[in-house]
Amino acid sequence: VLPQLCVWYGECGVASGDKRYNCAYDGPPIALPEDGYDLMQELCPGLFFGNVSACCDVHQLQTLKNNLQLPLQFLSRCPSCFYNLINLFCELTCSPNQSDFLNVTSTIPYYDPILKENKSSITELQYFIGEHFANAMYNACKDVEAPSSNVKALGLLCGKDVKDCNATNWIEYMFSKDNGQTPFSIIPIFSDVPVHGMNPMNNATKGCNESMDDSTGPCSCQDCSIVCGPKPQPPPLPTPWLLFGLDAVYVIMWISYMGFLLIFFALVFGVWCYRRRHFVSEYTPIDSNIAFSVNSHRDNGKITCGERLGERFENGLRMTFTSWGAFCVRNPRPVILFSVVFIAMCCSGFVYVKATTNPVDLWSAPSSQARKEKEYFDTHFGPFFRTEQLIIQAPNSHPSTYSPYPSGADVPFGSPLSKEILHQVLDLQDAIVNITASFDNETVMLKDICLAPLAPYNNNCTILSVLNYFQNSHSVLDHTIGDEFFVYADYHTHFLYCVRAPASLNDTSLLHDPCLGTFGGPVFPWLVLGGYDDDNYNNATALVITFPVNNYYNDSRKLMKALAWEKEFINFLKNYDNPNLTISFSAERSIEDEINRESKSDIGTVLISYTVMFVYISIALGHIQSCRRLLVDSKISLGIAGILIVLSSVACSVGIFSYFGIPLTLIVIEVIPFLVLAIGVDNIFIIVQTLQRDERLQGETLDKQIGRVLGDVAPSMFLSSFSETVAFFLGTLSTMPAVRTFSLFAGMAVLIDFILQVTCFVSLLGLDIKRQERNRLDILCCIKSNEEMSRAQRSESILFLFFKNLYSPYLLKDWMRPIIIAVFVGVLSFSTAVMHNVEIGLDQSLSMPDDSYVMDYFNQLSKYLHAGPPVYFVLEEGHNYTSLEGQNMVCGGMGCNNDSLVQQVFNAAEIGSYTRIGYAPSSWIDDYFDWVKPQSSCCRVYNTTGQFCNASVTDPSCTRCRPLTQEGKQRPQGKDFMTFLPMFLLDNPNPKCGKGGHAAYNSAVNFINNKSDVGATYFMTYHTVLKTSSDFIDAMKKARVIADNITETMGIKEKNYRVFPYSVFYVFYEQYLTIVHDAIFNLCISLGSIFLVTTLLLGFEVWAAVVVSITIAMIIINMFGVMWLWGISLNAVSLVNLVMSCGIAVEFCSHVTRAFTVSTKGSRVERAEEALSHMGSSVFSGITLTKFGGIVVLAFSKSQIFKIFYFRMYLAMVLLGATHGLIFLPVLLSYIGPSVNKAKTRATQERTRGTERERLLYF
């Protein structure tokens, strides 16, 4: 056996600062004094045997302990990794066989002043290490996570990026003098066989999947990939449904359409042949009886019970409205007075009017999951902070290259990372910090409202900026070490270290500057740099600066202060001018500000739009017979009165609901006047034009005539208005606040509009006709015209004559009708095929005006940002953290479950491209376990008072929280867990202990029962970069799936608490998870209610109601086709428009259908022709032309939302409504319309026998 020999013993001269050299000594090992036994047992239990002879004294052991503090904090999560590392250092420092593997290569003389003798200080030595040992040690440590900084621990201990780190360069870095920890150079030489007469140190190692001793387990899955098994793989994408290599829906619709055409044209051809055989020719006059028998039942058939019931209902409606109309014309003053009083009473509700601009209230229902989760998060952890953010580029600066000293590959640096630009950005940052705003005669600065996690010990604001690596200081940025020839270390060196170890308090270069932000927390590089590739942060092309500002839950005064400061912040940046910097920015209030500015700028557009409609209505209502009677026959005052009635109904609706405290929304203000104008003006045109076309009967007074006309047309108006009202009121069943509010206000407005039209407007119409008959001028009704007028004669407008003589006969020609059916069914098939491709969501940038500074910010955001929004996995109150089982369900370190909360989020981050979770979560519980370990110097208390003693305090009365026994090394449980946790959450990180939880986790843990128990807690990570609506929706969906899975595997479902994800955007995007269901539900409810009301009010004509419902359904489906073609996404705004298009479609279809059912002509074609002639012109002039003028103006709006969701959708709505109502529906009725109701025909004959109308109707 070879004799045991040392190479050193004891400490000699000072190397630098508090670091000392070791003294050369080549004798045998020396017995360790007893006061060193504890240290030896703690650090190197492998050498603690016999009389404990070693090559080190107590001072050296103390130095070893101090030097191991940093690796201990990061690597002790994985005991076997730390065991191997300690082995490496114990053998180096104290091994009795040092001379086997250590070779001293350089010493300097040293005079010991205490012992008064000459010694030698070792300044360099070689350490022979077995390759097998080095690789095993590296493999055991390479996966260990650093939970608070979301990176691998070796990235902080290797001096390199994790991906460049390997066994040799890690050990070389730890032994290099340049790392700032080692007092002299130790040169590692790796070999598994003896070299130069040296036997390399090749002790036994432990793999990370092996237990170190009986009391510890293997490392956790998070810290040791071998334990986990294979890396999780994202599930394969769902295979698209294809037929013949094309989208299956396209193919099915194409085949269906072709099949329809075949059957339809075969039927048309068959009927044509049948008619050719039975009648000589299509053009020979046919006996009217034969025609009648082909197209309908013989009139002399038996009248069924249903027909009689329908006729009675119809007659009841007609009689009611006739007598009512006559009453209104006879007593105009009381009716008008009553109407005005009613309007005034309703409008008095305006006193209580409230408008909702808060986007949260607009888009998410108070009962929705995301809203409840937001409330839970806000009440337990405080609301998510307000974000003020800048994205800065340096367009005039060029990328540079940095050459490290003394050797190493050149490192490229992006253009904004030049020192000059960084100084300019720091000036800008300081200027922002010093912005002062005033609120209520108080000055407000950033320091009054910012997030300062370490207050009151450290009042520095959280500023997430690359300049926080340099402590936001010009002098630290300029700090360099070098001589006149070389720069050894400067800001480049510091930057490269800090992006790898953002939580470090010493950059281990010659600068020894801290990286930790001045606010006490780490600044992650992916949050403050943009436009780099992979993890090469040095290539960044943009800097991102974020100022988190406190958001105040239910404290409006403090919130107003923050808003006041944000306003100044925006003004400052709008006026900031520096040619070297391009800045995009946004404050928390920006989006709301810009939406309000946009609403104001669009008021003009909307007013012009209304003006165009008003002018058109006023002019189109009159029927002027000659230029000289222009001022008598015009109906400008009546038109204006009609419009005022429409607007009054909107005002009444708002007033009534304001009484009940229902707030207005932007959508209500923008959409409902449009809707009610379409519906209301249509009714005005129908009344006035029918009256103009009517002839007064012999001996009939004006009130009787108007009553009779109203009896004819009011049931049709009642039908459309009532079905719209019911459809809208049922729309309030929707869960989306925007749709619900719209439906409430719209339903009420349409109902009041109808009531005012059959009361107030009829009275006004009577007065206007009297004025006209007395030859008084319109508007200036005191002045009489000289032009006489014989008596109110029947007049037909050009449009009516066009519809009657040209359009209707041509449209209903035998060869024209099949073409129209084929074209419309083709368009329907196309729309059905593309319907499922309509995008869901609302792109944020659409809600901004074109010229907004926020647009620029949105563009840069998607271009430069590398981390998405933060996401918190919240574990609700009720979990037991003090039991081992409860801890294992949550934590991610050694001994934790492989499917624990932290581990599952970590696994999700491994496949971030699928789960959209970007990074491993920061875990307070794992950092707490590392912090409380007796081996670390973090957790200490004063032995006299039991109060906490920070690691930076040097006081002999500070003792470890827990003893260094096997039991003490276990995780704290029960009462112990709760004793030290509050200390951990109040401990500020310092160079002796980087794990203090104050900055990182202060708000993550919620205490209950007077700090005796842990309530709700969260584990934070980040989403990957989210750019489009579908990204946000998908991220939210996946996070919920992960959280539900965690809840299930923890087995806590039945315990009434769960895990849920929370991110600030979930509240806005949750609606899209159910919007397809909402859209189907709302539109089906609307269609169903329209069908029922139409059936009832058409006098139980079920088939007619079916035809109307089919046409409206076609209009809605075609709206989806237009949305796909025109790039309009499905969201709350477009859903409101779709519900509204149901209402407007009723207007286009119901009048024509009712005219068809009451027509008593012989064949279906003739009845369709009559219905189209009489109602078509009113519907066309009333809705189509009125709306068209107003809609075209919207195309000039500044706001993209207006252009896309209002101009495009309204245009589509009116065009589709008009084409279906005035082209398709009459043709459909001519084929499959309901047959003549014989009871109604008989009743009409009875009513008109011997009058002028008999001639009109039957000859």
Side-chain angles (χ1 to χ4, degrees), residues 646-912:
V646 170
L647 296 180
S648 302
S649 62
V650 178
C652 288
S653 170
V654 172
I656 288 170
F657 287 117
S658 296
Y659 267 127
F660 295 108
I662 294 170
L664 266 175
T665 61
L666 215 58
I667 286 191
V668 169
I669 300 161
E670 284 166 355
V671 178
I672 289 184
F674 247 78
L675 168 75
V676 182
L677 212 60
I679 292 167
V681 170
D682 185 36
N683 291 346
I684 290 173
F685 269 84
I686 289 171
I687 297 177
V688 174
Q689 291 183 344
T690 311
L691 183 66
Q692 285 170 348
R693 292 199 286 264
D694 184 71
E695 202 159 350
R696 200 174 295 171
L697 303 177
Q698 215 81 39
E700 192 176 37
T701 56
L702 176 66
D703 59 314
K704 292 257 172 57
Q705 183 193 9
I706 291 183
R708 181 168 51 74
V709 168
L710 195 67
D712 280 345
V713 296
S716 182
M717 290 159 50
F718 183 53
L719 158 69
S720 61
S721 299
F722 193 65
S723 50
E724 281 149 11
T725 302
V726 173
F728 286 137
F729 277 145
L730 286 172
T732 57
L733 297 172
S734 165
T735 51
M736 295 172 81
V739 178
R740 194 167 55 234
T741 314
F742 163 78
S743 300
L744 262 184
F745 282 87
M748 183 60 83
V750 171
L751 185 64
I752 293 175
D753 181 49
F754 172 72
I755 293 168
L756 289 176
Q757 276 175 340
V758 292
T759 50
C760 187
F761 185 74
V762 172
S763 295
L764 289 166
L765 177 64
L767 290 175
D768 192 67
I769 301 283
K770 285 176 188 163
R771 170 198 65 74
Q772 197 176 349
E773 287 179 358
R774 290 180 191 150
N775 275 347
R776 293 188 180 279
L777 300 187
D778 192 13
I779 302 175
L780 309 165
C781 48
C782 309
I783 303 170
K784 226 176 168 180
S785 161
N786 305 328
E787 189 67 27
E788 280 302 316
M789 175 186 184
S790 49
R791 80 183 244 273
Q793 73 231 42
R794 154 169 187 246
S795 59
E796 293 172 339
S797 66
I798 300 166
L799 196 60
F800 173 71
L801 294 170
F802 165 75
F803 264 82
K804 185 178 175 185
N805 300 331
L806 280 173
Y807 179 69
S808 307
Y810 188 74
L811 181 74
L812 294 165
K813 282 205 182 307
D814 279 359
W815 59 270
M816 190 68 174
R817 294 185 300 150
I819 295 173
I820 283 168
I821 295 284
V823 169
F824 275 82
V825 174
V827 172
L828 178 72
S829 308
F830 167 78
S831 297
T832 313
V834 298
M835 214 164 143
H836 64 288
N837 292 334
V838 171
E839 287 221 353
I840 288 174
L842 173 58
D843 191 1
Q844 265 190 319
S845 57
L846 286 183
S847 55
M848 296 292 107
D850 292 341
D851 57 354
S852 170
Y853 66 90
V854 185
M855 286 293 287
D856 181 37
Y857 169 74
F858 282 146
N859 295 336
Q860 306 296 359
L861 200 63
S862 56
K863 195 165 160 192
Y864 290 115
L865 236 61
H866 282 262
V871 54
Y872 301 86
F873 284 88
V874 178
L875 178 50
E876 290 182 351
E877 195 176 299
H879 188 68
N880 179 8
Y881 294 89
T882 59
S883 72
L884 192 63
E885 186 194 5
Q887 293 169 1
N888 287 344
M889 284 181 186
V890 177
C891 62
M894 178 200 74
C896 304
N897 298 348
N898 273 2
D899 55 5
S900 71
L901 185 153
V902 171
Q903 187 58 47
Q904 286 200 47
V905 180
F906 174 80
N907 290 346
E910 294 276 277
I911 44 172

Side-chain angles (χ1 to χ4, degrees), residues 316-326 706-708 710-712 714-715 718 754 758:
L317 273 182
R318 174 183 279 108
M319 297 312 293
T320 309
F321 281 119
T322 302
S323 47
W324 175 250
I706 291 183
R708 181 168 51 74
L710 195 67
D712 280 345
F718 183 53
F754 172 72
V758 292

Side-chain angles (χ1 to χ4, degrees), residues 973-1050:
Q973 286 169 41
K975 198 160 160 256
D976 259 8
F977 183 89
M978 289 312 301
T979 307
F980 305 122
L981 182 60
M983 299 178 186
F984 164 69
L985 295 172
L986 286 174
D987 185 21
N988 295 341
N990 59 60
K992 290 270 170 48
C993 168
K995 285 272 178 179
H998 191 168
Y1001 303 120
N1002 190 26
S1003 64
V1005 180
N1006 195 29
F1007 288 112
I1008 50 172
N1009 306 336
N1010 202 5
K1011 287 210 171 182
S1012 65
D1013 228 330
V1014 175
T1017 70
Y1018 68 66
F1019 297 82
M1020 183 183 122
T1021 177
Y1022 290 87
H1023 279 299
T1024 50
V1025 182
L1026 310 173
K1027 294 182 180 175
T1028 61
S1029 274
S1030 51
D1031 290 350
F1032 282 100
I1033 298 162
D1034 188 47
M1036 176 179 182
K1037 241 192 230 163
K1038 299 277 173 52
R1040 285 189 170 175
V1041 170
I1042 294 165
D1044 291 344
N1045 201 36
I1046 294 171
T1047 306
E1048 203 158 299
T1049 49
M1050 283 173 75

Side-chain angles (χ1 to χ4, degrees), residues 946-1170:
Q947 294 291 316
F948 176 63
C949 165
N950 185 294
S952 57
V953 176
T954 44
D955 184 328
S957 64
C958 284
T959 56
R960 286 194 187 97
C961 294
R962 312 190 71 216
L964 245 176
T965 57
Q966 283 302 60
E967 193 187 332
K969 289 181 184 175
Q970 301 290 331
R971 286 193 222 142
Q973 286 169 41
K975 198 160 160 256
D976 259 8
F977 183 89
M978 289 312 301
T979 307
F980 305 122
L981 182 60
M983 299 178 186
F984 164 69
L985 295 172
L986 286 174
D987 185 21
N988 295 341
N990 59 60
K992 290 270 170 48
C993 168
K995 285 272 178 179
H998 191 168
Y1001 303 120
N1002 190 26
S1003 64
V1005 180
N1006 195 29
F1007 288 112
I1008 50 172
N1009 306 336
N1010 202 5
K1011 287 210 171 182
S1012 65
D1013 228 330
V1014 175
T1017 70
Y1018 68 66
F1019 297 82
M1020 183 183 122
T1021 177
Y1022 290 87
H1023 279 299
T1024 50
V1025 182
L1026 310 173
K1027 294 182 180 175
T1028 61
S1029 274
S1030 51
D1031 290 350
F1032 282 100
I1033 298 162
D1034 188 47
M1036 176 179 182
K1037 241 192 230 163
K1038 299 277 173 52
R1040 285 189 170 175
V1041 170
I1042 294 165
D1044 291 344
N1045 201 36
I1046 294 171
T1047 306
E1048 203 158 299
T1049 49
M1050 283 173 75
I1052 55 176
K1053 253 190 173 153
E1054 48 286 344
K1055 294 184 186 167
N1056 285 338
Y1057 67 96
R1058 63 190 180 106
V1059 176
F1060 68 83
Y1062 170 74
S1063 189
V1064 72
F1065 67 87
Y1066 288 180
V1067 165
F1068 305 110
Y1069 285 90
E1070 186 187 40
Q1071 51 173 325
Y1072 302 121
L1073 299 182
T1074 57
I1075 193 147
V1076 174
H1077 168 267
D1078 277 344
I1080 293 169
F1081 173 78
N1082 275 312
L1083 297 173
C1084 288
I1085 283 251
S1086 298
L1087 269 177
S1089 60
I1090 287 166
F1091 170 73
L1092 290 174
V1093 174
T1094 311
T1095 306
L1096 187 69
L1097 294 185
L1098 283 179
F1100 307 101
E1101 294 269 10
V1102 178
W1103 186 243
V1106 169
V1107 172
V1108 170
S1109 303
I1110 288 173
T1111 314
I1112 293 173
M1114 284 175 70
I1115 293 174
I1116 299 292
I1117 291 171
N1118 287 332
M1119 282 294 289
F1120 279 103
V1122 171
M1123 284 169 72
W1124 178 77
L1125 278 174
W1126 223 340
I1128 303 170
S1129 51
L1130 178 61
N1131 51 47
V1133 184
S1134 48
L1135 182 53
V1136 165
N1137 284 341
L1138 286 169
V1139 173
M1140 172 168 133
S1141 55
C1142 260
I1144 288 185
V1146 171
E1147 210 53 49
F1148 278 112
C1149 302
S1150 62
H1151 296 304
V1152 176
T1153 309
R1154 186 176 177 283
F1156 181 87
T1157 61
V1158 298
S1159 167
T1160 51
K1161 287 278 171 75
S1163 70
R1164 285 192 177 98
V1165 176
E1166 288 169 323
R1167 286 161 65 210
E1169 199 174 311
E1170 187 192 30

Side-chain angles (χ1 to χ4, degrees), residues 602 606 670 1194 1197 1199-1207:
D602 280 323
V606 174
E670 284 166 355
L1194 290 180
S1197 164
S1199 138
Q1200 300 188 69
I1201 275 211
F1202 259 76
K1203 277 188 231 168
I1204 292 175
F1205 293 103
Y1206 295 133
F1207 168 65

